[in-house]
Amino acid sequence: MHHSKAYNQLLAHVNATGREKDGYYPNILEEIYDYERDSAEDIIWKAFHDGDIEVVMYLPKLKKYNGVSALKKALSHCNIPSYRSIRLAEALYSCSKHKKYLDIIISNLRSNSQSDRVAVLHILMKLDPNERIFEIFEQVCLNDVSDSVRLTAATGLLYCKGYVKNPFSIQEFQQTLSLHRLLAKDTFEERQKNINALRDGKLERC
């Protein structure tokens, strides 16, 4: 039987290991053939229960299984902070927009893992900018001990204020690098001064 490109991508990712497992294609269930649906859902369901956290994005879309219920159950047994709780809460927030899931995502900013804190910031960058999101980026930019986390938070600040249109664009990052550096300066006082200038629309490139 001929399989769609999306179905083959799903199989390849589920069977991959290490870094090859990164980057599940988000529209797999929308692009598979109708006759592949049952099989694809079985694969996703099994992968999730085998511990593959990267398939969580598909669970709210399942028809054969109650994916949302499975996500809620998994989150209720999950340690917070943890990368697993970030991904579970992200999947639940994306389908429900319930504030409690966003709060769980944000609570992971206290994680000792630098990569987990960056993951949280990346999720926040996918949301429509607002004052609460700006203040979260501000607190991270001011207080996080990691230079790279503060630099990521600086991207979020610039995105909230319209200096950056696509926070995941390398080209835009390079074009606004001098502003990033101002917001992620070495001292708390310098960072606060420059964030205040950004808030007032007065931050200028070096």
Side-chain angles (χ1 to χ4, degrees):
M1 182 181 293
H2 174 68
H3 285 299
S4 64
K5 180 181 178 181
Y7 185 89
N8 288 329
Q9 282 181 310
L10 175 63
L11 283 178
H13 279 114
V14 166
N15 293 323
T17 57
R19 290 190 175 182
E20 294 177 354
K21 210 166 186 64
D22 293 341
Y24 272 100
Y25 179 54
N27 296 326
I28 280 175
L29 289 175
E30 288 79 11
E31 297 183 11
I32 57 173
Y33 300 141
D34 289 344
Y35 60 77
E36 296 172 321
R37 181 84 193 198
D38 274 3
S39 176
E41 291 205 14
D42 289 343
I43 292 167
I44 291 166
W45 192 249
K46 182 178 186 304
F48 176 69
H49 286 91
D50 286 346
D52 186 349
I53 194 62
E54 302 305 326
V55 299
V56 294
M57 71 177 81
Y58 304 123
L59 265 69
K61 303 176 183 179
L62 299 182
K63 297 177 181 177
K64 188 175 180 179
Y65 301 97
N66 190 335
V68 171
S69 177
L71 289 169
K72 290 178 178 178
K73 181 178 180 180
L75 184 58
S76 71
H77 293 95
C78 194
N79 290 328
I80 302 171
S82 66
Y83 179 71
R84 183 174 176 82
S85 73
I86 295 171
R87 297 308 308 275
L88 291 167
E90 180 187 15
L92 286 164
Y93 183 73
S94 69
C95 69
S96 70
K97 303 306 179 190
H98 287 169
K99 180 179 176 291
K100 64 181 178 180
Y101 299 124
L102 180 58
D103 289 342
I104 290 172
I105 295 168
I106 293 168
S107 71
N108 274 275
L109 286 170
R110 70 175 189 267
S111 171
N112 291 326
S113 166
Q114 175 178 303
S115 62
D116 284 1
R117 300 197 302 279
V118 168
V120 171
L121 296 175
H122 283 167
I123 292 171
L124 296 179
M125 288 178 203
K126 297 175 185 176
L127 307 179
D128 292 334
N130 57 48
E131 187 59 28
R132 184 192 181 200
I133 299 298
F134 181 91
E135 289 175 356
I136 293 168
F137 287 133
E138 177 181 18
Q139 289 305 308
V140 174
C141 205
L142 287 173
N143 299 308
D144 201 282
V145 296
S146 163
D147 291 344
S148 62
V149 175
R150 292 202 306 272
L151 204 59
T152 304
T155 300
L157 288 169
L158 293 169
Y159 174 59
C160 284
K161 292 302 180 182
Y163 288 74
V164 169
K165 302 301 181 186
N166 178 1
F168 303 102
S169 166
I170 295 174
Q171 182 179 4
E172 286 198 62
F173 175 80
Q174 292 171 338
Q175 291 171 344
T176 56
L177 184 56
S178 62
L179 296 178
H180 278 81
R181 287 173 173 164
L182 285 173
L183 296 171
K185 282 272 192 178
D186 289 340
T187 70
F188 179 94
E189 290 75 18
E190 287 179 303
R191 295 197 296 274
Q192 184 70 78
K193 180 186 73 173
N194 290 325
I195 290 171
N196 289 341
L198 175 66
R199 192 190 299 273
D200 295 336
K202 298 178 181 178
L203 185 67
E204 297 180 357
R205 289 176 170 81
C206 300

